[in-house]
Structures are given as C-alpha cells and as structure tokens.
Amino acid sequence: REGLVLVLGDGKGVEGEAAKVVRNCAANSPLAAEAWAKQPGLFEGFRHCFSASEHIKSCVLGAVYSLSRTEECARIMKEAKVQEYILDLTLKWKMAVDLTPEERDRFRATVACAGLAVLNLKAAAKELGPGGSHTATWPGLERRVILNIVRVVNAAIDGQPFAGVKFNEEAALHAVPVACSTPSHLSVLCEQGLVELLIALLKRFRAEDAMASSGSLDSIKSNGIQGGLPSIKAVHLAVDSLLSMCSNAKEVAEPVIQRMQDMGAKEVIVTVLDQVGRGSEGSAAKRPRILHSESQDHISDSAVKDLGADELRIATRQSAEQLLAHLNRKP
C-alpha cells in the first residue's frame, strides 16, 4: 500500500490505475477499505491527483466513493477533510460544452459519486439520517447532482453500465435512504422517477416465487420487469428509501405518499412483507426490534456485513411495516 501511495504522489500519468486498485479493494471488502483509509498519505495523494487529468480525477472520485460506504472509513475521511479538499471541489465542476457523449457521461458519473460520498460522510457523522434528522443549515445537494445520482441508480437497477462502469445495485442504493431524508431533495428525486425505480426493484423481488416455480426468468421478463433478482440488502435499501421519503415533514411527505398510493405501492409492500416474513420468525426472538431511527446502521457495509439473511429480512420487514402504515393513511 505504501508503494501505491507513492504512485499517487508522482505516478507520471498512471495515478488513475493506482486509484482503481483502491476503489476495487474498497468496493469488495469493508476490511480492505478500512486498511486503505488508515494508510498514511492516501488522502494527500488523492488531493495531489486533482492537478492531473480529468480521467485521473474521475478514478480518484471512484475510490473515494467506494471508501465512503464503510462507516469507519467515512469517519477517517471526515477527519482528513476529504469533503472540503476533494468532494466540494468536485461538486463545483461545470461540464464543458465540447465534451463527447462518453466524456459527458463520465462527468455525470463522477459528480454523482461525489454527491453520494458527501451523503455517506454526513450520515456517518450523524449530520444526516433517515426520517429527516438532518442539520438545518445544510441546504442539500444541487439539483444537477441529484439528477446524476438518479441516473446512476437507474442504470444500476436496470443492470446496465453507466459511463463504462457497471455500478453494483447495493452500492448505488447505499446512500439513497439518506438522500431521501433531506427535504430539499424530494421534489427532484420524485420528478426524476426514483419512486417508480424503487417500486420496480421491489416488484422484481416479488417475482422471486414465480421464477422458483417456473425454473426460468421468462415469466418475469414477460411482465416487463428488467434486471436480475435483487438481493435482500438491495430490497432493504429500497424499502428504507421509500420510508425515508414518507418520514419527512408532513407538507413535504404527503405528495410523495399520494404518489406511492396512486402507483399501487401498498400491494407491492404487502407482498414484500409476505416474502421477507418467511423463515424470519425463528430469528426474531434472538434480535431486538430494529427501529427506523437506527436504520443508518443497517445501510452501512460495516454494519450489514455481519447480518445473516434472516436478520436482514427482519430489518426489512420492520421498515416495510412502518412504510405500510404511511401508505394506509388517508389523505
């Protein structure tokens, strides 16, 4: 790791490849992510790369984004002022008018990763959280940043690459519950179809029994459900995102709840409850009830990594029950 940090400081054009090593390690192992975050000189090396090419800066942002998804890394990054020296600078970038379509998508993906990393850092520092428990002084991310975040989430849920990168569904959704807890984000998220995207993901989970009985994905595809079957963690993140939207202040949340009701979200959540309830009752007595106010612990990789499938189903069921209570409210 020490040699890689030296490359970041003076890589003569290969700093991007070094940053990709950090990104890939952090994306696949929380323990590896923590080891990299604690490596002396890493974040100073990343700062040095911001005088390099756009490609190298994009690679660095990918690494920062991957690291930020682990809570301990996010804490270290806050102390290292990564937000001030790297993320805030990235969020101020303006897209040049002469970029190719590929370069435009890479720019959008980079800005989205910076925005998602900011949300992860603020959540880890308890500055943001589900249910609208955010700092009153933070105005939220700019509209264009939210637009690009939704683009990345859309591609991940559809199983398609964006800017040449195939974003993992769980990774793309990691900070979405926190984004949904910030009132200033809600109108843009809804306008860009995030509710529809999340409901579509939950419908794929609903299709699990159909696939198991038929032995193929034909019945799912015939219903227009795109992508593969989501993991229970992705389902948990999707349910928590919808719940965070509904848990904002009444004047902000009511239009979102009405939108979900009009889409038939209640039926989808009832079916999710049915599926996550199977096999989870035996574990329920072993684990105290998980409140939505604690849900940030369950969307961080460092917390989820030790949860078994049954425990994660219990957490998902509890969030789904609270979401259903919102959906059952009369306007």
Side-chain angles (χ1 to χ4, degrees):
R1 291 195 297 269
E2 183 178 350
L4 187 142
V5 170
L6 292 174
V7 171
L8 289 172
D10 186 20
K12 297 179 174 59
V14 298
E15 296 93 333
E17 300 308 309
K20 287 180 182 179
V21 172
V22 179
R23 180 196 68 192
N24 293 337
C25 289
N28 289 283
S29 168
L31 292 177
E34 290 182 25
W36 277 112
K38 293 174 181 177
Q39 178 62 37
L42 178 71
F43 297 118
E44 289 80 357
F46 283 166
R47 285 177 60 184
H48 171 81
C49 290
F50 265 60
S51 60
S53 69
E54 297 297 319
H55 170 70
I56 289 174
K57 287 189 282 190
S58 294
C59 294
V60 167
L61 258 297
V64 170
Y65 162 61
S66 291
L67 288 166
S68 73
R69 297 200 305 272
T70 300
E71 190 170 340
E72 177 62 15
C73 294
R75 183 191 63 77
I76 296 170
M77 293 162 76
K78 285 288 286 186
E79 293 177 356
K81 298 188 180 299
V82 169
Q83 181 172 340
E84 292 86 341
Y85 293 124
I86 294 178
L87 298 176
D88 287 348
L89 290 177
T90 304
L91 294 176
K92 293 177 182 176
W93 289 357
K94 302 298 181 185
M95 185 185 294
V97 297
D98 58 346
L99 297 182
T100 66
E102 292 77 13
E103 289 171 334
R104 285 175 176 270
D105 278 349
R106 188 168 66 196
F107 176 92
R108 290 169 178 143
T110 301
V111 170
C113 286
L116 289 166
V118 167
L119 293 170
N120 288 334
L121 265 58
K122 287 185 173 292
K126 310 304 180 186
E127 295 176 9
L128 286 173
S133 55
H134 55 89
T135 51
T137 56
W138 191 57
L141 298 169
E142 288 184 31
R143 174 186 173 84
R144 66 188 183 92
V145 179
I146 297 296
L147 290 175
N148 289 319
I149 287 175
V150 176
R151 286 188 174 107
V152 167
V153 172
N154 191 358
I157 289 177
D158 283 347
Q160 300 298 320
F162 184 76
V165 176
K166 192 168 184 179
F167 285 82
N168 176 276
E169 194 170 59
E170 295 175 5
L173 288 167
H174 182 90
V176 174
V178 181
C180 293
S181 74
T182 305
S184 62
H185 297 162
L186 274 192
S187 62
V188 184
L189 291 170
C190 290
E191 172 191 308
Q192 295 303 307
L194 182 65
V195 174
E196 289 81 355
L197 284 172
L198 297 174
I199 295 296
L201 182 147
L202 295 178
K203 284 182 177 178
R204 281 168 30 212
F205 185 65
R206 182 175 64 171
E208 186 175 36
D209 283 347
M211 189 200 73
S213 61
S214 67
S216 72
L217 284 171
D218 292 342
S219 61
I220 298 175
K221 291 178 180 177
S222 66
N223 289 325
I225 301 172
Q226 303 299 314
L229 294 175
S231 67
I232 182 60
K233 182 179 175 183
V235 170
H236 178 58
L237 291 167
V239 171
D240 254 18
S241 297
L242 294 171
L243 179 56
S244 287
M245 289 181 175
C246 297
S247 301
N248 276 279
K250 182 177 180 180
E251 64 274 11
V252 178
E254 284 296 339
V256 183
I257 294 172
Q258 185 63 57
R259 187 187 190 107
M260 293 182 195
Q261 291 171 336
D262 293 343
M263 290 177 56
K266 179 179 174 179
E267 178 188 357
V268 176
I269 299 304
V270 167
T271 308
V272 169
L273 274 168
D274 178 58
Q275 290 214 14
V276 298
R278 296 172 188 168
S280 65
E281 286 79 2
S283 302
K286 301 177 184 178
R287 185 173 179 82
R289 182 170 180 82
I290 302 165
L291 300 176
H292 181 57
S293 60
E294 301 169 357
S295 62
Q296 180 57 33
D297 292 336
H298 300 284
I299 65 170
S300 68
D301 289 342
S302 57
V304 172
K305 66 182 180 181
D306 294 325
L307 286 181
D310 281 346
E311 291 175 303
L312 198 49
R313 283 175 181 265
I314 292 169
T316 305
R317 183 173 184 173
Q318 291 169 5
S319 291
E321 287 172 347
Q322 294 177 62
L323 175 56
L324 192 59
H326 284 289
L327 296 176
N328 281 330
R329 286 202 330 239
K330 293 183 179 180

